[in-house]
Amino acid sequence: MECTQEGATDPQEIALKMDTYCVVADPGQRASYGQVYECELSDDALSLSLSEAGSSELGLPRRVHFPLRMEPSTLAATKAGIRRVLTSGRRSALPRLSL
């Protein structure tokens, strides 16, 4: 799974609600824009709660959980990156963060 930061100001992207962060999942590089409701990152796991649309678009369950093993400095950088990406774009699409 990959998250990207979007900063669209193009009217077409705004109309399509693609003016926010994007989550991409394999296989098939399925993409979903602004469909994460909640993101929780602890010392040993990342959990995402997706909207019904996001779940369908990505082919994932509504709640996904990724076990993690990271050094403290890597975890801190990951938290900063997740915060930067998931708070980009349209305000109405921002998830609740527990980092």
Side-chain angles (χ1 to χ4, degrees), residues 36-82:
V36 176
Y37 281 151
E38 182 177 16
C39 174
E40 297 177 62
L41 180 62
S42 66
D43 292 345
D44 61 355
L46 170 66
S47 297
L48 300 175
S49 295
L50 305 171
S51 69
E52 190 172 324
S55 172
S56 176
E57 290 166 353
L58 295 169
L60 294 172
R62 297 231 16 222
R63 182 89 171 152
V64 290
H65 182 81
F66 303 94
L68 302 174
R69 275 193 180 161
M70 294 185 193
E71 294 295 322
S73 61
T74 303
L75 181 62
T78 300
K79 286 180 181 184
I82 288 173

Side-chain angles (χ1 to χ4, degrees), residues 4 6 13 16-24 31-36 51 54 57-58 90 93:
T4 62
E6 301 293 326
E13 290 179 345
L16 294 171
K17 296 189 176 188
M18 296 172 73
D19 57 332
T20 189
Y21 62 88
C22 178
V23 177
V24 180
S32 182
Y33 290 83
Q35 296 297 318
V36 176
S51 69
E57 290 166 353
L58 295 169
R90 182 174 17 93

